[in-house]
């Protein structure tokens, strides 16, 4: 082997040794890198676990706030004005304390105006408000026609007074959120008036008539009972109370469903034997706008006034106020105010969030002020109610009276206006009873 060949052999051996060393180094390096990757993965997993545990601790300590993050303005339309609007404003302010980014403008519109005007606007794809209060039957109808946001997943039905959501359901979905509930429990009077003239609550219909006769004889009294008026609903409230007392709660339900007709002899007997004689003897005043008659009744021009529980927030001294139902009555009309979100709202998410508050914690706020309402959300404790309403609630529950749906609100539509107009006729002309009942029956919905 030549010297040159020897050098080449040596060079080749050296190269082979270098390649072997490099291969070993690569293997060692890759093993080390794999080990580091494994360690790093374990560290990341541990860090994730720590973050999850920390998040759970934070979640328990601080309630989540579903408030929209951006500045938004909501227009809320409801039926309240005057003092009633002031009590609703307390609910708005309570919401804004935890949702300062939400501006709320409140506008007043009666339910009858909502039902008359908004179908046209909805048909055009526009809505005058983001959260709107209306009658239950109207909300169910608009939901069924596709104009409202579906609230089925928002409202937990088992947390509300039984049956209160029935009015706003259609096609198996919930289209409206219940707010606080009113009751129409009977005839209100001033305790001081009864004490001054030695009067007491009646225990039978005969005693009721005797009480009216005593009040009628008091100097300065124009009529024993003030008759409220407006769109007509104060008179229908009185009539429904007589139907429940002397026809029974089931007659009220059957008249709503149409199973019992207004010309049925059993219905006529309620009018003929109990209500009409009182109208003929002028125990009831002629219909007077329901808010303007309040100070006159309070001043003693009338002894009794049939009205809903909201009257407690509209008198000078609610502690001087008490009521009694017709003695034979086994039920009272009660119902909730309902709100909905039109799908044409420009702020649907924020509107639904406010609506959810109205249906839950907001009810506690509304019932704690002199609104004359009680919550439909069963999570509100009775102790949170405004004190005069606690005694009203106790009196009704002690008598075991059933809470029944409002007749004309449940039927709604054109029949409701017809009912009001026919009762105004009956009030001034009791002799028109048969004509009134026949007219009501002819337009009464059938089952």
């Amino acid at each position: 082997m030549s010297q040159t060949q020897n050098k080449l052999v040596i060079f080749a051996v050296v190269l082979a040794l270098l390649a072997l060393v490099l291969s070993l180094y690569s293997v060692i390096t890759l093993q080390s890198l794999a080990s580091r990757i494994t360690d790093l993965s374990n560290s990341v997993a541990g860090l994730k676990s720590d973050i999850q545990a920390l998040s759970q601790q934070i979640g328990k300590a601080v309630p989540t706030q579903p408030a929209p993050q951006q500045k938004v303005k909501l227009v809320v339309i409801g039926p309240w004005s005057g003092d009633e609007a002031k009590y609703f404003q307390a609910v708005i302010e309570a919401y804004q304390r935890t949702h300062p980014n939400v501006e709320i403008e409140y506008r007043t519109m009666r339910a009858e105006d909502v039902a008359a005007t908004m179908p046209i606007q909805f048909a055009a794809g526009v809505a005058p408000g983001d959260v709107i209060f209306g009658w239950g039957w109207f909300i169910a109808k608009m939901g069924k026609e596709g104009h409202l946001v579906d609230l089925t997943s928002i409202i937990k039905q088992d947390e509300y007074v039984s049956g209160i959501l029935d009015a706003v359901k259609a096609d198996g979905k919930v289209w409206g959120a219940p707010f606080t509930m009113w009751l129409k429990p009977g005839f209100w009077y001033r305790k001081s008036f009864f004490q001054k003239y030695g009067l007491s609550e009646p225990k039978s219909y005969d005693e009721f008539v005797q009480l009216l006769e005593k009040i009628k004889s008091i100097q300065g009294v124009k009529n024993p009972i003030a008759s409220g008026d407006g769109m007509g609903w104060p008179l229908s409230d009185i009539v429904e109370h007589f139907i429940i007392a002397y026809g029974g709660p089931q007659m009220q339900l059957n008249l709503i469903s149409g199973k019992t007709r207004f010309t049925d002899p059993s219905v006529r007997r309620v009018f003929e034997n109990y209500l009409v004689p009182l109208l003929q003897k002028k125990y009831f005043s002629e219909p007077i706008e329901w808010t303007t008659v309040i100070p006159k009744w309070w001043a003693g021009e009338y002894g009794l006034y049939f009205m809903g529980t909201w009257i407690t927030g509209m008198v000078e001294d609610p502690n001087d106020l008490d009521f009694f139902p017709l003695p034979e009555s086994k039920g009272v009309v009660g119902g909730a105010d309902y709100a909905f979100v039109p799908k044409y709202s420009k702020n649907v998410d924020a509107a639904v969030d406010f609506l959810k508050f109205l249906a839950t914690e907001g009810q506690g706020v509304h019932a704690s002020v002199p609104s004359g309402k009680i919550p439909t959300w069963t999570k509100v404790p009775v102790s949170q109610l405004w004190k005069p309403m606690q005694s009203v609630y106790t009196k009704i529950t002690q008598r075991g009276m059933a809470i029944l749906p409002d007749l004309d609100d449940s039927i709604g539509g054109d029949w409701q206006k017809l009912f009001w107009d026919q009762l105004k006729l009956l009030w001034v002309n009791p002799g028109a009873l048969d004509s009134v009942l026949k007219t009501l029956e002819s337009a009464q919905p059938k089952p």
Side-chain angles (χ1 to χ4, degrees), residues 210-228:
Q210 292 168 13
L211 171 65
L212 299 181
E213 194 62 30
K214 288 180 181 177
I215 295 175
K216 189 177 181 180
S217 66
I218 296 173
Q219 188 174 8
V221 170
K222 293 182 176 177
N223 299 91
I225 306 172
S227 301

Side-chain angles (χ1 to χ4, degrees), residues 65-88:
Q65 291 291 343
Q69 297 303 311
Q70 297 179 341
K71 285 278 186 182
V72 295
K73 178 179 178 179
L74 297 178
V75 173
V76 177
I77 296 176
W80 307 287
S81 59
D83 286 343
E84 289 185 300
K86 183 175 66 177
Y87 304 140
F88 183 64

